[in-house]
Short mmCIF file of all heavy atoms in Angstrom, two decimals:
data_model
loop_
_atom_site.label_atom_id
_atom_site.label_comp_id
_atom_site.label_asym_id
_atom_site.label_seq_id
_atom_site.Cartn_x
_atom_site.Cartn_y
_atom_site.Cartn_z
N PRO A 1 80.51 80.11 115.15
CA PRO A 1 79.79 79.55 114.00
C PRO A 1 78.84 78.41 114.37
O PRO A 1 77.80 78.22 113.73
CB PRO A 1 80.91 79.04 113.08
CG PRO A 1 82.09 79.86 113.45
CD PRO A 1 81.97 80.08 114.93
N ILE A 2 79.20 77.65 115.41
CA ILE A 2 78.32 76.57 115.86
C ILE A 2 77.04 77.15 116.45
O ILE A 2 75.93 76.72 116.11
CB ILE A 2 79.04 75.68 116.90
CG1 ILE A 2 80.25 74.99 116.27
CG2 ILE A 2 78.07 74.64 117.47
CD1 ILE A 2 81.11 74.21 117.24
N LYS A 3 77.20 78.15 117.31
CA LYS A 3 76.01 78.80 117.89
C LYS A 3 75.17 79.45 116.79
O LYS A 3 73.93 79.35 116.80
CB LYS A 3 76.45 79.84 118.93
CG LYS A 3 77.01 79.23 120.20
CD LYS A 3 77.21 80.25 121.30
CE LYS A 3 78.48 81.04 121.10
NZ LYS A 3 78.78 81.93 122.24
N TYR A 4 75.83 80.09 115.86
CA TYR A 4 75.15 80.74 114.73
C TYR A 4 74.31 79.72 113.96
O TYR A 4 73.15 79.98 113.62
CB TYR A 4 76.22 81.36 113.83
CG TYR A 4 75.75 81.90 112.50
CD1 TYR A 4 75.14 83.15 112.42
CD2 TYR A 4 75.97 81.19 111.32
CE1 TYR A 4 74.74 83.67 111.19
CE2 TYR A 4 75.57 81.70 110.09
CZ TYR A 4 74.96 82.94 110.04
OH TYR A 4 74.57 83.45 108.81
N THR A 5 74.87 78.56 113.72
CA THR A 5 74.19 77.51 112.97
C THR A 5 72.99 76.96 113.74
O THR A 5 71.88 76.84 113.20
CB THR A 5 75.16 76.36 112.65
OG1 THR A 5 76.23 76.86 111.84
CG2 THR A 5 74.44 75.23 111.92
N MET A 6 73.21 76.64 115.01
CA MET A 6 72.15 75.99 115.78
C MET A 6 71.02 76.95 116.15
O MET A 6 69.91 76.51 116.46
CB MET A 6 72.74 75.36 117.04
CG MET A 6 73.77 74.26 116.77
SD MET A 6 73.24 72.99 115.58
CE MET A 6 71.79 72.33 116.41
N GLU A 7 71.28 78.24 116.10
CA GLU A 7 70.23 79.22 116.43
C GLU A 7 69.35 79.56 115.23
O GLU A 7 68.38 80.31 115.37
CB GLU A 7 70.88 80.50 116.97
CG GLU A 7 71.45 80.34 118.38
CD GLU A 7 72.29 81.53 118.82
OE1 GLU A 7 72.46 82.47 118.00
OE2 GLU A 7 72.79 81.51 119.96
N GLN A 8 69.67 79.02 114.07
CA GLN A 8 68.89 79.35 112.86
C GLN A 8 67.58 78.60 112.78
O GLN A 8 66.75 78.88 111.92
CB GLN A 8 69.73 79.07 111.61
CG GLN A 8 70.85 80.06 111.39
CD GLN A 8 71.79 79.62 110.30
OE1 GLN A 8 71.44 78.81 109.44
NE2 GLN A 8 73.00 80.15 110.33
N GLY A 9 67.39 77.65 113.65
CA GLY A 9 66.12 76.91 113.66
C GLY A 9 66.13 75.78 112.65
O GLY A 9 67.07 75.00 112.58
N GLY A 10 65.08 75.71 111.86
CA GLY A 10 64.91 74.57 110.95
C GLY A 10 63.72 73.75 111.39
O GLY A 10 63.08 74.02 112.41
N LYS A 11 63.43 72.71 110.63
CA LYS A 11 62.24 71.89 110.89
C LYS A 11 62.40 70.97 112.09
O LYS A 11 61.43 70.47 112.63
CB LYS A 11 61.91 71.06 109.64
CG LYS A 11 61.41 71.90 108.47
CD LYS A 11 61.12 71.05 107.24
CE LYS A 11 62.38 70.70 106.50
NZ LYS A 11 63.04 71.85 105.86
N ARG A 12 63.67 70.72 112.49
CA ARG A 12 63.97 69.77 113.60
C ARG A 12 63.31 68.43 113.33
O ARG A 12 62.85 67.75 114.25
CB ARG A 12 63.50 70.34 114.94
CG ARG A 12 63.99 71.74 115.29
CD ARG A 12 65.49 71.87 115.28
NE ARG A 12 65.95 73.14 115.87
CZ ARG A 12 67.10 73.72 115.62
NH1 ARG A 12 67.94 73.17 114.75
NH2 ARG A 12 67.43 74.84 116.22
N LEU A 13 63.28 68.05 112.07
CA LEU A 13 62.62 66.80 111.67
C LEU A 13 63.29 65.58 112.29
O LEU A 13 62.61 64.69 112.83
CB LEU A 13 62.62 66.69 110.15
CG LEU A 13 62.19 65.35 109.55
CD1 LEU A 13 60.74 65.04 109.93
CD2 LEU A 13 62.36 65.36 108.03
N ARG A 14 64.59 65.52 112.23
CA ARG A 14 65.31 64.32 112.65
C ARG A 14 65.17 64.04 114.15
O ARG A 14 64.83 62.92 114.53
CB ARG A 14 66.77 64.41 112.19
CG ARG A 14 66.87 64.29 110.67
CD ARG A 14 68.06 65.03 110.08
NE ARG A 14 67.98 65.03 108.62
CZ ARG A 14 67.28 65.94 107.92
NH1 ARG A 14 66.61 66.90 108.55
NH2 ARG A 14 67.23 65.88 106.61
N PRO A 15 65.40 65.02 115.01
CA PRO A 15 65.19 64.73 116.44
C PRO A 15 63.73 64.44 116.77
O PRO A 15 63.44 63.64 117.66
CB PRO A 15 65.68 65.99 117.13
CG PRO A 15 65.62 67.07 116.11
CD PRO A 15 65.92 66.39 114.81
N THR A 16 62.82 65.07 116.05
CA THR A 16 61.40 64.80 116.27
C THR A 16 61.07 63.35 115.96
O THR A 16 60.31 62.70 116.69
CB THR A 16 60.53 65.74 115.40
OG1 THR A 16 60.68 67.08 115.88
CG2 THR A 16 59.06 65.36 115.47
N LEU A 17 61.66 62.81 114.90
CA LEU A 17 61.43 61.40 114.56
C LEU A 17 61.95 60.48 115.66
O LEU A 17 61.31 59.47 115.99
CB LEU A 17 62.10 61.06 113.23
CG LEU A 17 61.45 61.63 111.97
CD1 LEU A 17 62.28 61.27 110.74
CD2 LEU A 17 60.02 61.13 111.81
N VAL A 18 63.10 60.82 116.24
CA VAL A 18 63.64 60.00 117.33
C VAL A 18 62.67 59.99 118.51
O VAL A 18 62.29 58.93 119.02
CB VAL A 18 65.02 60.53 117.79
CG1 VAL A 18 65.52 59.71 118.99
CG2 VAL A 18 66.04 60.47 116.66
N LEU A 19 62.25 61.18 118.94
CA LEU A 19 61.39 61.30 120.12
C LEU A 19 60.02 60.68 119.88
O LEU A 19 59.48 59.97 120.74
CB LEU A 19 61.24 62.76 120.51
CG LEU A 19 62.53 63.53 120.84
CD1 LEU A 19 62.20 64.94 121.27
CD2 LEU A 19 63.34 62.81 121.91
N ALA A 20 59.44 60.98 118.72
CA ALA A 20 58.08 60.48 118.43
C ALA A 20 58.07 58.96 118.31
O ALA A 20 57.13 58.30 118.78
CB ALA A 20 57.57 61.11 117.14
N THR A 21 59.11 58.38 117.70
CA THR A 21 59.17 56.92 117.59
C THR A 21 59.31 56.27 118.95
O THR A 21 58.67 55.25 119.24
CB THR A 21 60.34 56.50 116.68
OG1 THR A 21 60.23 57.18 115.42
CG2 THR A 21 60.33 55.00 116.45
N CYS A 22 60.13 56.87 119.80
CA CYS A 22 60.28 56.34 121.16
C CYS A 22 58.94 56.34 121.89
O CYS A 22 58.55 55.33 122.49
CB CYS A 22 61.31 57.20 121.91
SG CYS A 22 61.70 56.59 123.57
N GLU A 23 58.22 57.44 121.82
CA GLU A 23 56.92 57.52 122.50
C GLU A 23 55.87 56.64 121.85
O GLU A 23 54.97 56.14 122.53
CB GLU A 23 56.44 58.97 122.52
CG GLU A 23 57.15 59.82 123.56
CD GLU A 23 56.17 60.70 124.32
OE1 GLU A 23 55.27 61.28 123.69
OE2 GLU A 23 56.32 60.81 125.55
N ALA A 24 55.98 56.45 120.54
CA ALA A 24 54.99 55.61 119.85
C ALA A 24 54.99 54.19 120.37
O ALA A 24 53.97 53.49 120.32
CB ALA A 24 55.27 55.62 118.34
N PHE A 25 56.14 53.76 120.92
CA PHE A 25 56.23 52.42 121.49
C PHE A 25 56.11 52.44 123.01
O PHE A 25 56.46 51.48 123.69
CB PHE A 25 57.54 51.75 121.06
CG PHE A 25 57.52 51.28 119.64
CD1 PHE A 25 58.14 52.01 118.65
CD2 PHE A 25 56.85 50.11 119.30
CE1 PHE A 25 58.10 51.58 117.33
CE2 PHE A 25 56.81 49.67 117.99
CZ PHE A 25 57.44 50.40 117.00
N GLY A 26 55.60 53.54 123.54
CA GLY A 26 55.21 53.56 124.95
C GLY A 26 56.26 54.01 125.94
O GLY A 26 56.06 53.87 127.15
N LYS A 27 57.37 54.57 125.46
CA LYS A 27 58.41 55.03 126.38
C LYS A 27 58.51 56.55 126.33
O LYS A 27 58.40 57.16 125.27
CB LYS A 27 59.77 54.41 126.01
CG LYS A 27 60.76 54.37 127.17
CD LYS A 27 61.87 53.38 126.87
CE LYS A 27 62.74 53.13 128.08
NZ LYS A 27 63.78 52.11 127.81
N ASP A 28 58.72 57.17 127.48
CA ASP A 28 58.79 58.63 127.56
C ASP A 28 59.90 59.15 126.66
O ASP A 28 61.01 58.62 126.64
CB ASP A 28 59.06 59.04 129.01
CG ASP A 28 58.83 60.53 129.25
OD1 ASP A 28 59.48 61.34 128.56
OD2 ASP A 28 58.01 60.88 130.11
N TRP A 29 59.60 60.22 125.91
CA TRP A 29 60.55 60.79 124.96
C TRP A 29 61.86 61.24 125.63
O TRP A 29 62.91 61.30 124.98
CB TRP A 29 59.94 61.96 124.20
CG TRP A 29 59.48 63.12 125.07
CD1 TRP A 29 58.21 63.30 125.55
CD2 TRP A 29 60.27 64.21 125.54
NE1 TRP A 29 58.16 64.46 126.31
CE2 TRP A 29 59.41 65.04 126.31
CE3 TRP A 29 61.59 64.59 125.40
CZ2 TRP A 29 59.84 66.21 126.92
CZ3 TRP A 29 62.04 65.76 126.00
CH2 TRP A 29 61.17 66.55 126.76
N LYS A 30 61.79 61.54 126.93
CA LYS A 30 63.00 62.02 127.62
C LYS A 30 64.13 61.00 127.60
O LYS A 30 65.31 61.36 127.68
CB LYS A 30 62.66 62.41 129.06
CG LYS A 30 61.77 63.64 129.20
CD LYS A 30 61.57 64.01 130.65
CE LYS A 30 60.71 65.27 130.81
NZ LYS A 30 59.30 65.01 130.42
N HIS A 31 63.78 59.71 127.50
CA HIS A 31 64.81 58.67 127.43
C HIS A 31 65.66 58.79 126.16
O HIS A 31 66.79 58.30 126.12
CB HIS A 31 64.18 57.28 127.48
CG HIS A 31 63.61 56.92 128.81
ND1 HIS A 31 64.36 56.36 129.83
CD2 HIS A 31 62.34 57.03 129.31
CE1 HIS A 31 63.60 56.15 130.89
NE2 HIS A 31 62.37 56.55 130.60
N ALA A 32 65.11 59.46 125.15
CA ALA A 32 65.79 59.54 123.86
C ALA A 32 66.25 60.96 123.52
O ALA A 32 66.75 61.19 122.42
CB ALA A 32 64.86 59.03 122.75
N ILE A 33 66.12 61.89 124.45
CA ILE A 33 66.35 63.29 124.10
C ILE A 33 67.78 63.58 123.67
O ILE A 33 68.01 64.31 122.70
CB ILE A 33 65.91 64.24 125.25
CG1 ILE A 33 66.02 65.70 124.82
CG2 ILE A 33 66.68 63.96 126.52
CD1 ILE A 33 65.16 66.10 123.64
N TYR A 34 68.77 63.01 124.34
CA TYR A 34 70.14 63.36 123.97
C TYR A 34 70.58 62.73 122.64
O TYR A 34 71.23 63.42 121.82
CB TYR A 34 71.09 63.05 125.12
CG TYR A 34 70.96 64.10 126.21
CD1 TYR A 34 70.29 63.81 127.40
CD2 TYR A 34 71.44 65.39 126.02
CE1 TYR A 34 70.12 64.78 128.38
CE2 TYR A 34 71.29 66.36 127.00
CZ TYR A 34 70.62 66.06 128.18
OH TYR A 34 70.45 67.03 129.13
N PRO A 35 70.25 61.47 122.37
CA PRO A 35 70.50 60.98 121.01
C PRO A 35 69.76 61.80 119.95
O PRO A 35 70.30 62.04 118.86
CB PRO A 35 70.00 59.54 121.05
CG PRO A 35 70.19 59.14 122.47
CD PRO A 35 69.85 60.37 123.27
N ALA A 36 68.55 62.26 120.27
CA ALA A 36 67.81 63.10 119.33
C ALA A 36 68.55 64.41 119.07
O ALA A 36 68.70 64.84 117.92
CB ALA A 36 66.40 63.39 119.87
N ILE A 37 69.04 65.03 120.14
CA ILE A 37 69.80 66.27 120.01
C ILE A 37 71.08 66.01 119.22
O ILE A 37 71.49 66.81 118.37
CB ILE A 37 70.14 66.85 121.40
CG1 ILE A 37 68.87 67.28 122.14
CG2 ILE A 37 71.12 68.01 121.28
CD1 ILE A 37 68.06 68.33 121.44
N GLY A 38 71.72 64.87 119.48
CA GLY A 38 72.92 64.50 118.75
C GLY A 38 72.68 64.39 117.25
O GLY A 38 73.50 64.84 116.44
N MET A 39 71.55 63.81 116.89
CA MET A 39 71.23 63.67 115.46
C MET A 39 71.00 65.04 114.82
O MET A 39 71.37 65.25 113.65
CB MET A 39 70.00 62.78 115.27
CG MET A 39 70.22 61.33 115.70
SD MET A 39 71.55 60.49 114.79
CE MET A 39 70.59 59.64 113.53
N GLU A 40 70.43 65.97 115.55
CA GLU A 40 70.21 67.31 115.00
C GLU A 40 71.53 68.07 114.84
O GLU A 40 71.75 68.75 113.83
CB GLU A 40 69.25 68.11 115.89
CG GLU A 40 68.95 69.51 115.39
CD GLU A 40 68.18 69.56 114.08
OE1 GLU A 40 67.75 68.49 113.58
OE2 GLU A 40 68.02 70.67 113.53
#
């Protein structure tokens, strides 16, 4: 059921906000990727 849920896609809005905010302040998004994934 977890795989089923995560494979359905979605807007991925929340992790995108984490990554974009990190980069907006000059830091590579990769530094925030796992917290972003966690939020999704």
